[in-house]
Protein backbone atom coordinates (compact mmCIF):
# COMPACT_ATOMS: atom_id res chain seq x y z
CA UNK A 1 0.00 0.00 0.00
CA UNK A 2 1.27 3.53 -0.76
CA UNK A 3 2.36 5.62 2.22
CA UNK A 4 0.27 8.77 1.71
CA UNK A 5 1.62 11.91 3.44
CA UNK A 6 -0.44 15.11 2.96
CA UNK A 7 1.52 18.37 2.56
CA UNK A 8 -0.11 21.75 3.20
CA UNK A 9 2.94 24.06 3.33
CA UNK A 10 5.22 24.70 0.34
CA UNK A 11 8.13 25.17 2.76
CA UNK A 12 7.74 21.66 4.22
CA UNK A 13 11.15 19.92 4.26
CA UNK A 14 9.67 16.94 2.42
CA UNK A 15 9.50 19.16 -0.66
CA UNK A 16 13.20 20.12 -0.60
CA UNK A 17 14.14 17.45 -3.17
CA UNK A 18 11.53 18.77 -5.57
CA UNK A 19 11.57 22.51 -4.90
CA UNK A 20 14.88 23.61 -3.43
CA UNK A 21 17.69 21.22 -4.38
CA UNK A 22 19.70 22.18 -7.46
CA UNK A 23 20.54 19.72 -10.22
CA UNK A 24 24.15 19.68 -9.03
CA UNK A 25 23.08 18.88 -5.46
CA UNK A 26 20.85 16.06 -6.70
CA UNK A 27 23.66 14.67 -8.86
CA UNK A 28 25.95 14.44 -5.80
CA UNK A 29 29.25 14.03 -7.65
CA UNK A 30 31.17 13.25 -4.45
CA UNK A 31 28.85 10.34 -3.62
CA UNK A 32 27.27 9.25 -6.92
CA UNK A 33 25.73 6.21 -5.28
CA UNK A 34 23.49 8.65 -3.37
CA UNK A 35 22.51 10.66 -6.45
CA UNK A 36 18.86 11.44 -7.18
CA UNK A 37 17.00 12.54 -10.29
CA UNK A 38 13.45 13.83 -10.71
CA UNK A 39 11.09 12.22 -13.25
CA UNK A 40 8.07 14.24 -14.32
CA UNK A 41 4.69 13.01 -15.60
CA UNK A 42 3.15 9.52 -15.48
CA UNK A 43 4.55 8.42 -18.86
CA UNK A 44 8.12 9.37 -17.98
CA UNK A 45 7.87 7.80 -14.52
CA UNK A 46 6.57 4.56 -16.03
CA UNK A 47 9.47 4.47 -18.51
CA UNK A 48 11.95 4.98 -15.67
CA UNK A 49 10.37 2.19 -13.62
CA UNK A 50 10.37 -0.09 -16.68
CA UNK A 51 14.12 0.57 -16.99
CA UNK A 52 14.66 -0.62 -13.41
CA UNK A 53 15.00 2.76 -11.68
CA UNK A 54 14.10 2.81 -7.98
CA UNK A 55 11.54 5.31 -6.66
CA UNK A 56 12.50 7.23 -3.49
CA UNK A 57 9.31 9.29 -3.12
CA UNK A 58 6.44 10.80 -5.09
CA UNK A 59 4.88 14.24 -5.12
CA UNK A 60 1.49 14.70 -6.73
CA UNK A 61 -1.86 16.38 -6.61
CA UNK A 62 -4.13 14.67 -4.10
CA UNK A 63 -6.73 13.87 -6.75
CA UNK A 64 -4.30 11.70 -8.72
CA UNK A 65 -3.68 9.09 -5.99
CA UNK A 66 -6.76 7.07 -6.89
CA UNK A 67 -6.78 7.89 -10.60
CA UNK A 68 -3.81 8.15 -12.99
CA UNK A 69 -1.25 7.37 -10.26
CA UNK A 70 -2.91 4.22 -8.96
CA UNK A 71 -1.16 1.70 -11.23
CA UNK A 72 2.22 3.40 -10.80
CA UNK A 73 1.99 3.47 -7.00
CA UNK A 74 1.01 -0.21 -6.98
CA UNK A 75 4.47 -0.97 -8.39
CA UNK A 76 6.34 0.89 -5.64
CA UNK A 77 5.26 -0.62 -2.34
CA UNK A 78 5.35 1.71 0.67
CA UNK A 79 7.41 4.49 -0.91
CA UNK A 80 6.36 7.87 0.58
CA UNK A 81 3.76 9.65 -1.52
CA UNK A 82 3.55 13.37 -0.70
CA UNK A 83 0.22 14.83 -1.77
CA UNK A 84 -0.92 18.42 -1.91
CA UNK A 85 -3.58 20.57 -3.49
CA UNK A 86 -2.94 22.32 -6.78
CA UNK A 87 -2.46 25.79 -5.23
CA UNK A 88 0.46 24.49 -3.13
CA UNK A 89 2.15 22.65 -5.98
CA UNK A 90 1.88 25.47 -8.51
CA UNK A 91 4.53 27.27 -6.45
CA UNK A 92 6.94 24.73 -7.95
CA UNK A 93 8.52 26.22 -11.06
CA UNK A 94 7.17 24.45 -14.13
CA UNK A 95 4.72 22.27 -12.23
CA UNK A 96 2.12 22.72 -14.94
CA UNK A 97 4.42 20.72 -17.24
CA UNK A 98 4.50 17.67 -14.98
CA UNK A 99 0.91 16.46 -15.52
CA UNK A 100 0.46 16.59 -11.78
CA UNK A 101 3.07 14.00 -10.78
CA UNK A 102 6.75 13.93 -9.86
CA UNK A 103 8.96 11.10 -8.65
CA UNK A 104 12.38 11.27 -7.01
CA UNK A 105 14.47 8.28 -8.09
CA UNK A 106 17.92 6.90 -7.38
CA UNK A 107 20.45 7.45 -10.13
CA UNK A 108 21.48 4.09 -11.57
CA UNK A 109 25.17 3.17 -11.72
CA UNK A 110 26.49 3.91 -15.18
CA UNK A 111 27.71 1.05 -17.38
CA UNK A 112 31.06 1.14 -19.17
CA UNK A 113 31.31 2.27 -22.81
CA UNK A 114 32.05 -1.35 -23.78
CA UNK A 115 28.87 -2.54 -22.06
CA UNK A 116 26.78 0.18 -23.71
CA UNK A 117 28.20 -0.59 -27.15
CA UNK A 118 27.93 -4.37 -26.99
CA UNK A 119 26.01 -5.47 -30.07
CA UNK A 120 25.55 -1.87 -31.28
CA UNK A 121 25.92 -0.91 -34.95
CA UNK A 122 25.13 2.80 -34.74
CA UNK A 123 26.04 4.99 -31.78
CA UNK A 124 25.81 8.73 -31.23
CA UNK A 125 28.71 10.49 -29.54
CA UNK A 126 28.00 13.90 -27.98
CA UNK A 127 31.08 16.05 -27.49
CA UNK A 128 30.44 18.69 -24.83
CA UNK A 129 26.77 19.25 -25.70
CA UNK A 130 25.87 21.40 -22.73
CA UNK A 131 22.22 22.37 -23.16
CA UNK A 132 19.83 19.93 -21.40
CA UNK A 133 17.09 20.73 -23.91
CA UNK A 134 19.36 19.66 -26.76
CA UNK A 135 20.38 16.52 -24.87
CA UNK A 136 16.73 15.55 -24.41
CA UNK A 137 15.87 16.24 -28.04
CA UNK A 138 18.86 14.20 -29.27
CA UNK A 139 17.84 11.23 -27.13
CA UNK A 140 14.29 11.40 -28.45
CA UNK A 141 15.58 11.37 -32.03
CA UNK A 142 18.01 8.57 -31.19
CA UNK A 143 15.20 6.42 -29.83
CA UNK A 144 12.96 7.11 -32.82
CA UNK A 145 15.60 6.69 -35.53
CA UNK A 146 17.42 3.45 -34.68
CA UNK A 147 20.44 4.65 -32.72
CA UNK A 148 21.64 1.79 -30.52
CA UNK A 149 23.46 3.79 -27.82
CA UNK A 150 24.65 7.27 -26.83
CA UNK A 151 28.09 8.17 -25.47
CA UNK A 152 28.78 11.59 -23.92
CA UNK A 153 32.05 13.38 -23.13
CA UNK A 154 32.66 14.63 -19.62
CA UNK A 155 31.54 18.23 -20.11
CA UNK A 156 28.19 17.31 -21.66
CA UNK A 157 25.01 17.97 -19.72
CA UNK A 158 23.74 14.99 -17.75
CA UNK A 159 20.85 13.15 -19.48
CA UNK A 160 19.13 12.77 -16.10
CA UNK A 161 18.78 16.49 -15.51
CA UNK A 162 15.10 17.27 -15.17
CA UNK A 163 14.76 19.28 -18.39
CA UNK A 164 16.63 16.68 -20.43
CA UNK A 165 14.37 13.90 -19.16
CA UNK A 166 11.25 15.98 -19.85
CA UNK A 167 12.25 16.95 -23.40
CA UNK A 168 13.27 13.37 -24.18
CA UNK A 169 9.81 12.15 -23.10
CA UNK A 170 11.59 9.53 -20.99
CA UNK A 171 13.61 8.04 -23.87
CA UNK A 172 16.76 8.58 -21.79
CA UNK A 173 15.57 5.41 -20.03
CA UNK A 174 15.18 3.46 -23.27
CA UNK A 175 18.51 4.14 -25.01
CA UNK A 176 21.70 2.76 -23.35
CA UNK A 177 24.12 5.58 -22.53
CA UNK A 178 27.17 6.45 -20.51
CA UNK A 179 30.01 8.96 -20.26
CA UNK A 180 33.41 8.68 -21.90
CA UNK A 181 36.55 9.77 -20.08
CA UNK A 182 37.87 13.18 -21.09
CA UNK A 183 36.52 16.33 -22.67
CA UNK A 184 36.71 15.28 -26.33
CA UNK A 185 35.37 12.28 -28.18
CA UNK A 186 38.03 9.56 -27.99
CA UNK A 187 38.25 8.26 -31.54
CA UNK A 188 40.91 5.83 -30.33
CA UNK A 189 38.49 4.32 -27.82
CA UNK A 190 35.74 4.19 -30.43
CA UNK A 191 38.09 2.39 -32.82
CA UNK A 192 38.95 -0.09 -30.07
CA UNK A 193 35.22 -0.75 -29.71
CA UNK A 194 35.11 -1.59 -33.42
CA UNK A 195 33.54 1.61 -34.77
CA UNK A 196 34.49 3.76 -37.72
CA UNK A 197 33.94 7.39 -36.81
CA UNK A 198 31.99 10.10 -38.63
CA UNK A 199 32.53 13.66 -37.37
CA UNK A 200 29.67 16.03 -38.23
CA UNK A 201 31.53 19.20 -39.22
CA UNK A 202 31.55 22.04 -41.73
CA UNK A 203 34.60 21.32 -43.84
CA UNK A 204 35.08 21.83 -47.57
CA UNK A 205 36.38 18.26 -47.89
CA UNK A 206 33.43 16.74 -45.99
CA UNK A 207 31.40 13.90 -47.43
CA UNK A 208 27.73 14.48 -48.03
CA UNK A 209 25.60 12.70 -45.46
CA UNK A 210 24.05 10.72 -48.32
CA UNK A 211 27.40 9.24 -49.41
CA UNK A 212 26.95 5.44 -49.75
CA UNK A 213 30.29 4.79 -47.99
CA UNK A 214 28.69 5.84 -44.73
CA UNK A 215 25.61 3.66 -45.04
CA UNK A 216 27.83 0.70 -45.93
CA UNK A 217 29.78 0.83 -42.65
CA UNK A 218 28.82 -2.05 -40.36
CA UNK A 219 29.59 -0.09 -37.18
CA UNK A 220 29.54 3.70 -37.24
CA UNK A 221 29.92 6.28 -34.46
CA UNK A 222 28.26 9.60 -35.34
CA UNK A 223 30.04 12.42 -33.48
CA UNK A 224 28.17 15.67 -32.81
CA UNK A 225 29.72 18.76 -31.27
CA UNK A 226 28.90 21.45 -28.79
CA UNK A 227 26.51 24.27 -29.54
CA UNK A 228 28.26 27.11 -31.33
CA UNK A 229 31.85 25.86 -31.58
CA UNK A 230 31.14 22.39 -32.91
CA UNK A 231 33.71 19.61 -32.63
CA UNK A 232 37.30 19.98 -31.47
CA UNK A 233 39.78 20.10 -34.34
CA UNK A 234 41.54 17.04 -32.94
CA UNK A 235 38.31 15.04 -33.05
CA UNK A 236 37.73 16.00 -36.68
CA UNK A 237 41.31 15.24 -37.72
CA UNK A 238 41.29 11.82 -36.05
CA UNK A 239 37.90 10.70 -37.42
CA UNK A 240 37.58 8.34 -40.37
CA UNK A 241 35.04 10.59 -42.07
CA UNK A 242 34.05 14.23 -41.89
CA UNK A 243 30.39 14.58 -42.80
CA UNK A 244 28.16 17.54 -43.53
CA UNK A 245 24.46 18.03 -44.17
CA UNK A 246 23.91 19.86 -47.48
CA UNK A 247 22.26 23.25 -46.92
CA UNK A 248 20.39 25.78 -49.05
CA UNK A 249 19.41 29.47 -48.89
CA UNK A 250 22.78 30.42 -47.43
CA UNK A 251 22.21 28.55 -44.16
CA UNK A 252 25.51 27.10 -42.98
CA UNK A 253 24.42 24.84 -40.10
CA UNK A 254 21.60 23.48 -37.98
CA UNK A 255 21.11 23.41 -34.23
CA UNK A 256 22.80 20.28 -32.89
CA UNK A 257 19.47 18.66 -31.97
CA UNK A 258 18.06 19.25 -35.47
CA UNK A 259 21.31 18.06 -37.06
CA UNK A 260 21.21 14.89 -34.99
CA UNK A 261 17.73 14.00 -36.30
CA UNK A 262 18.87 14.44 -39.90
CA UNK A 263 22.06 12.45 -39.29
CA UNK A 264 20.29 9.61 -37.51
CA UNK A 265 17.68 9.36 -40.27
CA UNK A 266 20.30 9.29 -43.00
CA UNK A 267 22.83 6.99 -41.31
CA UNK A 268 20.84 4.63 -39.07
CA UNK A 269 18.00 3.45 -41.30
CA UNK A 270 19.60 1.15 -43.88
Amino acid sequence: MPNIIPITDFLAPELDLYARKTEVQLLNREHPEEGIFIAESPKVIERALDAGCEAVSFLMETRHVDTQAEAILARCGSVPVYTAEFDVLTQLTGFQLTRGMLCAMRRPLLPTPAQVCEGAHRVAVLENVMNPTNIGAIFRSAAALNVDAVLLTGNSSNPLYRRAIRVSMGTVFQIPWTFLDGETASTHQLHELGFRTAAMALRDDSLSISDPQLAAEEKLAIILGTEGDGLANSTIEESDYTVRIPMSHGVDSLNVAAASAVAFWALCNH
Side-chain angles (χ1 to χ4, degrees):
M1 293 288 293
N3 178 17
I4 307 298
I5 303 170
I7 301 291
T8 57
D9 182 1
F10 181 71
L11 297 178
E14 292 89 345
L15 298 191
D16 285 350
L17 273 181
Y18 300 96
R20 287 173 282 278
K21 294 284 188 181
T22 67
E23 294 279 22
V24 172
Q25 289 172 320
L26 292 175
L27 182 60
N28 199 348
R29 293 183 188 276
E30 293 186 4
H31 301 284
E33 71 282 357
E34 298 176 9
I36 297 291
F37 68 88
I38 306 296
E40 303 175 338
S41 84
K43 180 186 289 292
V44 170
I45 293 167
E46 284 183 316
R47 285 181 170 171
L49 291 172
D50 290 344
C53 296
E54 178 187 353
V56 173
S57 66
F58 288 88
L59 175 64
M60 65 184 67
E61 289 182 64
T62 305
R63 65 191 178 94
H64 290 325
V65 170
D66 297 319
T67 56
Q68 65 176 331
E70 186 174 16
I72 293 174
L73 297 180
R75 301 175 61 175
C76 299
S78 59
V79 168
V81 180
Y82 304 117
T83 63
E85 297 304 320
F86 186 71
D87 60 342
V88 173
L89 295 180
T90 49
Q91 296 177 67
L92 280 166
T93 301
F95 183 77
Q96 64 270 25
L97 301 175
T98 70
R99 299 188 183 276
M101 192 184 308
L102 297 140
C103 182
M105 295 181 143
R106 298 201 184 281
R107 287 179 177 266
L109 295 177
L110 290 179
T112 66
Q115 289 170 327
V116 162
C117 292
E118 185 176 358
H121 294 278
R122 293 291 187 270
V123 299
V125 183
L126 309 185
E127 184 177 275
N128 302 334
V129 177
M130 301 174 186
N131 185 312
T133 298
N134 284 336
I135 292 287
I138 292 169
F139 266 85
R140 191 170 181 182
S141 292
L145 298 171
N146 295 319
V147 174
D148 298 312
V150 178
L151 302 170
L152 305 97
T153 61
N155 283 343
S156 292
S157 182
N158 195 289
L160 294 186
Y161 282 168
R162 190 182 297 196
R163 182 178 292 275
I165 297 173
R166 180 194 308 149
V167 172
S168 82
M169 291 296 293
T171 55
V172 293
F173 305 113
Q174 296 177 307
I175 299 292
W177 62 271
T178 197
F179 282 94
L180 296 164
D181 294 330
E183 297 179 3
T184 59
S186 173
T187 54
H188 175 70
Q189 186 175 10
L190 293 167
H191 287 148
E192 285 189 334
L193 292 168
F195 291 92
R196 300 272 280 174
T197 52
M200 302 297 299
L202 301 173
R203 292 284 183 101
D204 291 337
D205 60 349
S206 297
L207 293 178
S208 169
I209 199 166
S210 60
D211 193 294
Q213 295 179 76
L214 301 168
E217 290 289 354
E218 181 183 356
K219 298 181 69 172
L220 189 67
I222 303 159
I223 309 175
L224 297 135
T226 185
E227 302 86 346
D229 293 334
L231 293 171
N233 285 332
S234 59
T235 300
I236 298 171
E237 296 299 332
E238 294 168 6
S239 291
D240 299 299
Y241 301 105
T242 306
V243 181
R244 70 185 302 160
I245 300 168
M247 301 282 171
S248 62
H249 294 96
V251 176
D252 63 355
S253 65
L254 295 172
N255 164 275
V256 65
S260 75
V262 175
F264 300 159
W265 170 255
L267 301 175
C268 304
N269 288 274
H270 297 278

